[in-house]
Amino acid sequence: MNLINLFIHPKKYFTEINEKEKFSLLAPIVILVIIGVLTGLTAGNTVSSMGLPEEQMGSIQGLAIGFGIFSGIIGLAIALVLKTGIFHFVLKKMNGTASFKSAIYVVGISFFPKIFQGIINLLFQKPLDLNTIYEFNIVNFLAGIINIFNIWQIALTIIGLSIIYGVSYRKTAIPVIGFEVVAAGFTLVTTLITANSMAGITPTGIE
């Protein structure tokens, strides 16, 4: 399968795999693992910017990387199954004809743009500022949600699911974009709760 088409002609890519019925889950699994590794390495870099004592840095950084990789992969796997389950249920109600396995493949392969996002985050990571870590910044929040990588992922998901289920782009966009809106709302609420609960707490104690 020509993966280049996933970049330049995603409609052709998903049409070809749908016609050949080749839905190996190996590619989505590899993508999730790569993203998980990048998440762990980013966590390790974050720890290294905290100014910890040299004798503690190695062990804590190692733990951060290991936990980041593990939690990243597990979190992505849960998100993949949850999203696919919702999309499959809704699109079946719209008379879609695809299987759950094929939907898992499409949703999983659509995480591919996140690899590029992870690489950029790793290479251009800003040092962690403990004084502002719990401050809510609407610009940063929106930038984390509305960016080229998320839009790219959503577009791939809509195109792929539309083709394999035989449902129009417009109808397919309903559960896909709806899920992202709900997820963004949940993230906003939890972020605000965390920011409010941590108000007044400093790295050295409570004011």
Side-chain angles (χ1 to χ4, degrees), residues 33-93:
V33 170
I34 292 174
I35 297 173
V37 170
L38 290 170
T39 301
L41 294 176
T42 301
N45 277 354
T46 299
V47 170
S48 67
S49 68
M50 294 175 64
L52 297 173
E54 190 67 29
E55 61 273 14
Q56 299 178 5
M57 180 65 72
S59 58
I60 295 178
Q61 189 174 24
L63 287 173
I65 293 174
F67 182 76
I69 293 174
F70 176 78
S71 61
I73 294 174
I74 296 300
L76 287 169
I78 293 173
L80 173 60
V81 174
L82 177 62
K83 291 172 72 172
T84 304
I86 293 173
F87 300 159
H88 183 67
F89 175 79
V90 175
L91 293 174
K92 277 291 188 179
K93 292 295 183 180

Side-chain angles (χ1 to χ4, degrees), residues 82-196:
L82 177 62
K83 291 172 72 172
T84 304
I86 293 173
F87 300 159
H88 183 67
F89 175 79
V90 175
L91 293 174
K92 277 291 188 179
K93 292 295 183 180
M94 296 179 179
N95 298 319
T97 57
S99 66
F100 184 78
K101 180 181 178 181
S102 61
I104 279 276
Y105 176 87
V106 169
V107 177
I109 207 77
S110 297
F111 272 91
F112 191 69
K114 292 293 186 179
I115 294 179
F116 297 101
Q117 184 178 17
I119 293 173
I120 291 175
N121 290 341
L122 180 62
L123 295 178
F124 301 99
Q125 186 177 7
K126 294 181 180 179
L128 181 65
D129 186 353
L130 295 177
N131 293 313
T132 61
I133 186 173
Y134 293 112
E135 292 181 2
F136 178 73
N137 186 307
I138 186 63
V139 175
N140 291 338
F141 175 79
L142 292 176
I145 295 176
I146 306 173
N147 59 64
I148 186 63
F149 303 104
N150 286 349
I151 294 173
W152 186 4
Q153 179 187 11
I154 291 171
L156 288 177
T157 304
I158 292 173
I159 293 171
L161 292 178
S162 174
I163 290 172
I164 67 169
Y165 279 94
V167 178
S168 69
Y169 290 147
R170 181 177 298 181
K171 289 183 178 180
T172 305
I174 294 174
V176 176
I177 296 178
F179 181 91
E180 297 299 331
V181 171
V182 172
F186 178 79
T187 302
L188 175 61
V189 171
T190 55
T191 301
L192 288 173
I193 292 174
T194 301
N196 289 333

